[in-house]
């Protein structure tokens, strides 16, 4: 499976996970120019949430959380600012969550880290 298809599949699993937990999905794969991309934008209990999803088939490159660098955090925050600006959104609480997906024995294991970035 190529990386793009695997990433899309992981995002689909994250969306299902969030929806089952009562989150409302607003947008997927929001791109703000060359600044960055936000995998999932959703709402839960009056909070606008920007979600980064990372999946790993094995620990060759470490756990999914190891992929979040300061450069990635900066790009995510700038993309979120772009989303708020474009949609004229003000005065709503926001946060950044992270969903880590691993596949031990082929079965997805999902961790939702709230207010992670």
């Amino acid at each position: 499976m190529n990386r793009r298809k695997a990433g899309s599949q992981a995002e689909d699993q994250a969306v299902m996970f969030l929806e089952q937990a009562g989150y409302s999905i607003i947008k997927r794969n929001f791109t703000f120019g060359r600044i960055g991309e936000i995998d999932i934008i959703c709402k839960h209990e009056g909070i606008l949430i920007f979600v980064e999803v990372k999946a790993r088939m094995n620990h060759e490159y470490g756990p999914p959380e190891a992929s979040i660098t300061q450069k990635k955090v900066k790009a995510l925050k700038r993309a979120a600012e772009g989303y708020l600006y474009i949609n004229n959104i003000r005065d709503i609480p926001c946060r950044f969550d992270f969903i880590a997906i691993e596949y031990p024995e082929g079965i997805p294991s999902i961790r939702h880290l709230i207010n992670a970035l």
Side-chain angles (χ1 to χ4, degrees):
M1 181 181 311
N2 70 36
R3 290 178 63 171
R4 183 173 293 240
K5 187 173 180 182
S8 181
Q9 190 174 51
E11 288 174 17
D12 291 344
Q13 291 171 334
V15 163
M16 287 190 301
F17 175 87
L18 290 167
E19 287 176 334
Q20 288 174 353
Y23 290 66
S24 300
I25 306 304
I26 296 170
K27 182 125 181 92
R28 289 181 63 174
N29 302 313
F30 170 77
T31 302
F32 187 61
R34 290 192 231 173
I35 302 291
E37 178 187 30
I38 299 170
D39 295 327
I40 302 169
I41 301 172
C42 57
K43 217 172 190 183
H44 187 250
E45 297 178 352
I47 300 171
L48 186 64
I49 305 160
F50 302 98
V51 182
E52 174 69 7
V53 178
K54 191 65 168 179
R56 293 276 167 92
M57 297 304 287
N58 56 51
H59 281 187
E60 183 177 346
Y61 299 105
E65 294 88 346
S67 69
I68 301 298
T69 63
Q70 286 302 319
K71 183 177 177 181
K72 179 69 172 175
V73 170
K74 185 177 179 180
L76 288 168
K77 288 182 177 182
R78 290 189 66 204
E81 289 171 354
Y83 178 82
L84 295 171
Y85 176 78
I86 288 169
N87 292 284
N88 198 27
I89 297 172
R90 298 183 197 138
D91 299 327
I92 183 171
C94 300
R95 75 173 193 235
F96 292 87
D97 288 6
F98 183 76
I99 292 187
I101 304 175
E102 294 182 272
Y103 297 91
E105 301 176 21
I107 300 167
S109 170
I110 299 174
R111 289 186 306 282
H112 182 190
L113 306 171
I114 296 171
N115 206 22
L117 307 178

PDB file of all heavy atoms in Angstrom, residues 35-60:
ATOM      1  N   ILE A  35       1.820  26.662   3.505  1.00  0.00           N
ATOM      2  CA  ILE A  35       2.101  26.723   4.944  1.00  0.00           C
ATOM      3  C   ILE A  35       1.981  25.358   5.597  1.00  0.00           C
ATOM      4  O   ILE A  35       2.846  24.930   6.342  1.00  0.00           O
ATOM      5  CB  ILE A  35       1.139  27.712   5.648  1.00  0.00           C
ATOM      6  CG1 ILE A  35       1.238  29.106   5.059  1.00  0.00           C
ATOM      7  CG2 ILE A  35       1.338  27.709   7.147  1.00  0.00           C
ATOM      8  CD1 ILE A  35       2.535  29.819   5.330  1.00  0.00           C
ATOM      9  N   GLY A  36       0.860  24.681   5.336  1.00  0.00           N
ATOM     10  CA  GLY A  36       0.661  23.388   5.969  1.00  0.00           C
ATOM     11  C   GLY A  36      -0.748  22.854   5.765  1.00  0.00           C
ATOM     12  O   GLY A  36      -1.600  23.518   5.193  1.00  0.00           O
ATOM     13  N   GLU A  37      -0.947  21.657   6.265  1.00  0.00           N
ATOM     14  CA  GLU A  37      -2.234  20.977   6.128  1.00  0.00           C
ATOM     15  C   GLU A  37      -2.691  20.507   7.505  1.00  0.00           C
ATOM     16  O   GLU A  37      -1.883  20.092   8.333  1.00  0.00           O
ATOM     17  CB  GLU A  37      -2.100  19.762   5.213  1.00  0.00           C
ATOM     18  CG  GLU A  37      -3.403  18.994   5.081  1.00  0.00           C
ATOM     19  CD  GLU A  37      -3.247  17.691   4.319  1.00  0.00           C
ATOM     20  OE1 GLU A  37      -2.160  17.084   4.372  1.00  0.00           O
ATOM     21  OE2 GLU A  37      -4.226  17.279   3.684  1.00  0.00           O
ATOM     22  N   ILE A  38      -3.990  20.586   7.713  1.00  0.00           N
ATOM     23  CA  ILE A  38      -4.602  20.062   8.928  1.00  0.00           C
ATOM     24  C   ILE A  38      -5.424  18.858   8.506  1.00  0.00           C
ATOM     25  O   ILE A  38      -6.292  18.963   7.637  1.00  0.00           O
ATOM     26  CB  ILE A  38      -5.475  21.117   9.622  1.00  0.00           C
ATOM     27  CG1 ILE A  38      -4.608  22.312  10.011  1.00  0.00           C
ATOM     28  CG2 ILE A  38      -6.173  20.509  10.838  1.00  0.00           C
ATOM     29  CD1 ILE A  38      -5.378  23.508  10.492  1.00  0.00           C
ATOM     30  N   ASP A  39      -5.163  17.716   9.122  1.00  0.00           N
ATOM     31  CA  ASP A  39      -5.819  16.476   8.716  1.00  0.00           C
ATOM     32  C   ASP A  39      -7.323  16.505   8.954  1.00  0.00           C
ATOM     33  O   ASP A  39      -8.100  16.158   8.073  1.00  0.00           O
ATOM     34  CB  ASP A  39      -5.206  15.275   9.452  1.00  0.00           C
ATOM     35  CG  ASP A  39      -3.757  15.045   9.068  1.00  0.00           C
ATOM     36  OD1 ASP A  39      -3.394  15.306   7.908  1.00  0.00           O
ATOM     37  OD2 ASP A  39      -2.991  14.587   9.933  1.00  0.00           O
ATOM     38  N   ILE A  40      -7.734  16.915  10.149  1.00  0.00           N
ATOM     39  CA  ILE A  40      -9.161  16.928  10.495  1.00  0.00           C
ATOM     40  C   ILE A  40      -9.454  18.176  11.316  1.00  0.00           C
ATOM     41  O   ILE A  40      -8.706  18.520  12.234  1.00  0.00           O
ATOM     42  CB  ILE A  40      -9.551  15.689  11.326  1.00  0.00           C
ATOM     43  CG1 ILE A  40      -9.232  14.393  10.571  1.00  0.00           C
ATOM     44  CG2 ILE A  40     -11.032  15.728  11.715  1.00  0.00           C
ATOM     45  CD1 ILE A  40      -9.328  13.136  11.421  1.00  0.00           C
ATOM     46  N   ILE A  41     -10.557  18.837  10.978  1.00  0.00           N
ATOM     47  CA  ILE A  41     -11.058  19.943  11.791  1.00  0.00           C
ATOM     48  C   ILE A  41     -12.439  19.504  12.260  1.00  0.00           C
ATOM     49  O   ILE A  41     -13.276  19.082  11.455  1.00  0.00           O
ATOM     50  CB  ILE A  41     -11.132  21.262  10.991  1.00  0.00           C
ATOM     51  CG1 ILE A  41      -9.745  21.631  10.474  1.00  0.00           C
ATOM     52  CG2 ILE A  41     -11.713  22.373  11.863  1.00  0.00           C
ATOM     53  CD1 ILE A  41      -9.728  22.802   9.506  1.00  0.00           C
ATOM     54  N   CYS A  42     -12.654  19.580  13.559  1.00  0.00           N
ATOM     55  CA  CYS A  42     -13.933  19.127  14.105  1.00  0.00           C
ATOM     56  C   CYS A  42     -14.337  20.009  15.273  1.00  0.00           C
ATOM     57  O   CYS A  42     -13.606  20.901  15.685  1.00  0.00           O
ATOM     58  CB  CYS A  42     -13.845  17.662  14.520  1.00  0.00           C
ATOM     59  SG  CYS A  42     -12.547  17.283  15.709  1.00  0.00           S
ATOM     60  N   LYS A  43     -15.531  19.712  15.792  1.00  0.00           N
ATOM     61  CA  LYS A  43     -16.056  20.465  16.916  1.00  0.00           C
ATOM     62  C   LYS A  43     -16.569  19.481  17.957  1.00  0.00           C
ATOM     63  O   LYS A  43     -17.147  18.443  17.622  1.00  0.00           O
ATOM     64  CB  LYS A  43     -17.196  21.361  16.435  1.00  0.00           C
ATOM     65  CG  LYS A  43     -17.252  22.695  17.090  1.00  0.00           C
ATOM     66  CD  LYS A  43     -18.284  23.578  16.432  1.00  0.00           C
ATOM     67  CE  LYS A  43     -18.126  24.980  16.974  1.00  0.00           C
ATOM     68  NZ  LYS A  43     -19.134  25.876  16.435  1.00  0.00           N
ATOM     69  N   HIS A  44     -16.348  19.836  19.227  1.00  0.00           N
ATOM     70  CA  HIS A  44     -16.838  18.998  20.320  1.00  0.00           C
ATOM     71  C   HIS A  44     -17.060  19.887  21.542  1.00  0.00           C
ATOM     72  O   HIS A  44     -16.145  20.612  21.948  1.00  0.00           O
ATOM     73  CB  HIS A  44     -15.836  17.889  20.640  1.00  0.00           C
ATOM     74  CG  HIS A  44     -16.317  16.898  21.634  1.00  0.00           C
ATOM     75  ND1 HIS A  44     -15.811  16.817  22.899  1.00  0.00           N
ATOM     76  CD2 HIS A  44     -17.274  15.945  21.554  1.00  0.00           C
ATOM     77  CE1 HIS A  44     -16.417  15.852  23.560  1.00  0.00           C
ATOM     78  NE2 HIS A  44     -17.316  15.312  22.769  1.00  0.00           N
ATOM     79  N   GLU A  45     -18.256  19.844  22.064  1.00  0.00           N
ATOM     80  CA  GLU A  45     -18.607  20.610  23.254  1.00  0.00           C
ATOM     81  C   GLU A  45     -18.218  22.080  23.138  1.00  0.00           C
ATOM     82  O   GLU A  45     -17.660  22.670  24.063  1.00  0.00           O
ATOM     83  CB  GLU A  45     -17.984  19.964  24.498  1.00  0.00           C
ATOM     84  CG  GLU A  45     -18.514  18.564  24.755  1.00  0.00           C
ATOM     85  CD  GLU A  45     -17.881  17.874  25.950  1.00  0.00           C
ATOM     86  OE1 GLU A  45     -16.903  18.402  26.535  1.00  0.00           O
ATOM     87  OE2 GLU A  45     -18.389  16.789  26.296  1.00  0.00           O
ATOM     88  N   GLY A  46     -18.495  22.682  21.979  1.00  0.00           N
ATOM     89  CA  GLY A  46     -18.247  24.101  21.751  1.00  0.00           C
ATOM     90  C   GLY A  46     -16.807  24.476  21.477  1.00  0.00           C
ATOM     91  O   GLY A  46     -16.477  25.652  21.393  1.00  0.00           O
ATOM     92  N   ILE A  47     -15.942  23.491  21.319  1.00  0.00           N
ATOM     93  CA  ILE A  47     -14.524  23.752  21.051  1.00  0.00           C
ATOM     94  C   ILE A  47     -14.202  23.352  19.619  1.00  0.00           C
ATOM     95  O   ILE A  47     -14.579  22.271  19.177  1.00  0.00           O
ATOM     96  CB  ILE A  47     -13.621  22.972  22.034  1.00  0.00           C
ATOM     97  CG1 ILE A  47     -13.923  23.392  23.472  1.00  0.00           C
ATOM     98  CG2 ILE A  47     -12.144  23.191  21.707  1.00  0.00           C
ATOM     99  CD1 ILE A  47     -13.243  22.533  24.511  1.00  0.00           C
ATOM    100  N   LEU A  48     -13.507  24.224  18.905  1.00  0.00           N
ATOM    101  CA  LEU A  48     -13.019  23.920  17.564  1.00  0.00           C
ATOM    102  C   LEU A  48     -11.679  23.206  17.715  1.00  0.00           C
ATOM    103  O   LEU A  48     -10.783  23.697  18.412  1.00  0.00           O
ATOM    104  CB  LEU A  48     -12.860  25.200  16.750  1.00  0.00           C
ATOM    105  CG  LEU A  48     -12.492  25.037  15.289  1.00  0.00           C
ATOM    106  CD1 LEU A  48     -13.615  24.314  14.525  1.00  0.00           C
ATOM    107  CD2 LEU A  48     -12.237  26.393  14.656  1.00  0.00           C
ATOM    108  N   ILE A  49     -11.556  22.044  17.088  1.00  0.00           N
ATOM    109  CA  ILE A  49     -10.386  21.209  17.301  1.00  0.00           C
ATOM    110  C   ILE A  49      -9.687  20.914  15.985  1.00  0.00           C
ATOM    111  O   ILE A  49     -10.307  20.488  15.022  1.00  0.00           O
ATOM    112  CB  ILE A  49     -10.786  19.886  17.984  1.00  0.00           C
ATOM    113  CG1 ILE A  49     -11.557  20.204  19.271  1.00  0.00           C
ATOM    114  CG2 ILE A  49      -9.570  19.025  18.276  1.00  0.00           C
ATOM    115  CD1 ILE A  49     -12.400  19.077  19.767  1.00  0.00           C
ATOM    116  N   PHE A  50      -8.382  21.142  15.975  1.00  0.00           N
ATOM    117  CA  PHE A  50      -7.535  20.837  14.838  1.00  0.00           C
ATOM    118  C   PHE A  50      -6.787  19.556  15.183  1.00  0.00           C
ATOM    119  O   PHE A  50      -6.098  19.492  16.204  1.00  0.00           O
ATOM    120  CB  PHE A  50      -6.558  21.986  14.572  1.00  0.00           C
ATOM    121  CG  PHE A  50      -7.255  23.299  14.324  1.00  0.00           C
ATOM    122  CD1 PHE A  50      -7.405  24.234  15.335  1.00  0.00           C
ATOM    123  CD2 PHE A  50      -7.782  23.588  13.075  1.00  0.00           C
ATOM    124  CE1 PHE A  50      -8.055  25.433  15.115  1.00  0.00           C
ATOM    125  CE2 PHE A  50      -8.432  24.787  12.836  1.00  0.00           C
ATOM    126  CZ  PHE A  50      -8.575  25.719  13.850  1.00  0.00           C
ATOM    127  N   VAL A  51      -6.943  18.540  14.343  1.00  0.00           N
ATOM    128  CA  VAL A  51      -6.411  17.216  14.663  1.00  0.00           C
ATOM    129  C   VAL A  51      -5.346  16.793  13.659  1.00  0.00           C
ATOM    130  O   VAL A  51      -5.571  16.819  12.448  1.00  0.00           O
ATOM    131  CB  VAL A  51      -7.547  16.157  14.667  1.00  0.00           C
ATOM    132  CG1 VAL A  51      -7.002  14.788  15.058  1.00  0.00           C
ATOM    133  CG2 VAL A  51      -8.685  16.568  15.597  1.00  0.00           C
ATOM    134  N   GLU A  52      -4.207  16.386  14.190  1.00  0.00           N
ATOM    135  CA  GLU A  52      -3.145  15.795  13.390  1.00  0.00           C
ATOM    136  C   GLU A  52      -3.212  14.281  13.588  1.00  0.00           C
ATOM    137  O   GLU A  52      -3.347  13.797  14.715  1.00  0.00           O
ATOM    138  CB  GLU A  52      -1.776  16.322  13.834  1.00  0.00           C
ATOM    139  CG  GLU A  52      -0.600  15.673  13.167  1.00  0.00           C
ATOM    140  CD  GLU A  52      -0.443  16.004  11.695  1.00  0.00           C
ATOM    141  OE1 GLU A  52      -1.179  16.864  11.167  1.00  0.00           O
ATOM    142  OE2 GLU A  52       0.435  15.391  11.060  1.00  0.00           O
ATOM    143  N   VAL A  53      -3.158  13.536  12.493  1.00  0.00           N
ATOM    144  CA  VAL A  53      -3.237  12.074  12.546  1.00  0.00           C
ATOM    145  C   VAL A  53      -1.917  11.504  12.033  1.00  0.00           C
ATOM    146  O   VAL A  53      -1.422  11.926  10.986  1.00  0.00           O
ATOM    147  CB  VAL A  53      -4.402  11.543  11.673  1.00  0.00           C
ATOM    148  CG1 VAL A  53      -4.443  10.019  11.699  1.00  0.00           C
ATOM    149  CG2 VAL A  53      -5.727  12.143  12.113  1.00  0.00           C
ATOM    150  N   LYS A  54      -1.381  10.533  12.764  1.00  0.00           N
ATOM    151  CA  LYS A  54      -0.161   9.868  12.317  1.00  0.00           C
ATOM    152  C   LYS A  54      -0.289   8.382  12.611  1.00  0.00           C
ATOM    153  O   LYS A  54      -0.664   7.991  13.708  1.00  0.00           O
ATOM    154  CB  LYS A  54       1.057  10.444  13.038  1.00  0.00           C
ATOM    155  CG  LYS A  54       2.354   9.994  12.438  1.00  0.00           C
ATOM    156  CD  LYS A  54       2.496  10.518  11.027  1.00  0.00           C
ATOM    157  CE  LYS A  54       3.898  10.319  10.506  1.00  0.00           C
ATOM    158  NZ  LYS A  54       4.034  10.800   9.159  1.00  0.00           N
ATOM    159  N   ALA A  55       0.009   7.582  11.603  1.00  0.00           N
ATOM    160  CA  ALA A  55      -0.064   6.128  11.748  1.00  0.00           C
ATOM    161  C   ALA A  55       1.307   5.525  11.485  1.00  0.00           C
ATOM    162  O   ALA A  55       2.083   6.032  10.677  1.00  0.00           O
ATOM    163  CB  ALA A  55      -1.084   5.552  10.777  1.00  0.00           C
ATOM    164  N   ARG A  56       1.571   4.431  12.168  1.00  0.00           N
ATOM    165  CA  ARG A  56       2.812   3.700  11.969  1.00  0.00           C
ATOM    166  C   ARG A  56       2.504   2.208  11.927  1.00  0.00           C
ATOM    167  O   ARG A  56       1.748   1.699  12.757  1.00  0.00           O
ATOM    168  CB  ARG A  56       3.811   3.963  13.107  1.00  0.00           C
ATOM    169  CG  ARG A  56       4.333   5.393  13.158  1.00  0.00           C
ATOM    170  CD  ARG A  56       5.498   5.568  12.201  1.00  0.00           C
ATOM    171  NE  ARG A  56       5.869   6.937  11.958  1.00  0.00           N
ATOM    172  CZ  ARG A  56       6.777   7.623  12.616  1.00  0.00           C
ATOM    173  NH1 ARG A  56       7.396   7.089  13.624  1.00  0.00           N
ATOM    174  NH2 ARG A  56       7.052   8.854  12.273  1.00  0.00           N
ATOM    175  N   MET A  57       3.108   1.549  10.974  1.00  0.00           N
ATOM    176  CA  MET A  57       2.953   0.096  10.862  1.00  0.00           C
ATOM    177  C   MET A  57       3.894  -0.630  11.823  1.00  0.00           C
ATOM    178  O   MET A  57       3.624  -1.743  12.245  1.00  0.00           O
ATOM    179  CB  MET A  57       3.226  -0.366   9.429  1.00  0.00           C
ATOM    180  CG  MET A  57       2.245   0.190   8.411  1.00  0.00           C
ATOM    181  SD  MET A  57       0.523  -0.166   8.783  1.00  0.00           S
ATOM    182  CE  MET A  57       0.454  -1.898   8.397  1.00  0.00           C
ATOM    183  N   ASN A  58       5.018   0.020  12.155  1.00  0.00           N
ATOM    184  CA  ASN A  58       5.982  -0.570  13.080  1.00  0.00           C
ATOM    185  C   ASN A  58       6.745   0.574  13.758  1.00  0.00           C
ATOM    186  O   ASN A  58       6.479   1.741  13.489  1.00  0.00           O
ATOM    187  CB  ASN A  58       6.934  -1.522  12.348  1.00  0.00           C
ATOM    188  CG  ASN A  58       7.652  -0.823  11.211  1.00  0.00           C
ATOM    189  OD1 ASN A  58       8.240   0.231  11.387  1.00  0.00           O
ATOM    190  ND2 ASN A  58       7.601  -1.423  10.024  1.00  0.00           N
ATOM    191  N   HIS A  59       7.685   0.243  14.610  1.00  0.00           N
ATOM    192  CA  HIS A  59       8.432   1.265  15.343  1.00  0.00           C
ATOM    193  C   HIS A  59       9.816   1.525  14.758  1.00  0.00           C
ATOM    194  O   HIS A  59      10.697   2.036  15.449  1.00  0.00           O
ATOM    195  CB  HIS A  59       8.554   0.874  16.815  1.00  0.00           C
ATOM    196  CG  HIS A  59       7.318   1.164  17.583  1.00  0.00           C
ATOM    197  ND1 HIS A  59       7.248   1.022  18.935  1.00  0.00           N
ATOM    198  CD2 HIS A  59       6.090   1.584  17.208  1.00  0.00           C
ATOM    199  CE1 HIS A  59       6.044   1.337  19.357  1.00  0.00           C
ATOM    200  NE2 HIS A  59       5.321   1.673  18.323  1.00  0.00           N
ATOM    201  N   GLU A  60       9.980   1.223  13.479  1.00  0.00           N
ATOM    202  CA  GLU A  60      11.265   1.454  12.825  1.00  0.00           C
ATOM    203  C   GLU A  60      11.698   2.914  12.964  1.00  0.00           C
ATOM    204  O   GLU A  60      12.880   3.218  13.131  1.00  0.00           O
ATOM    205  CB  GLU A  60      11.180   1.067  11.348  1.00  0.00           C
ATOM    206  CG  GLU A  60      12.480   1.208  10.609  1.00  0.00           C
ATOM    207  CD  GLU A  60      12.371   0.755   9.163  1.00  0.00           C
ATOM    208  OE1 GLU A  60      11.380   0.102   8.790  1.00  0.00           O
ATOM    209  OE2 GLU A  60      13.300   1.058   8.399  1.00  0.00           O
TER     210      GLU A  60
END
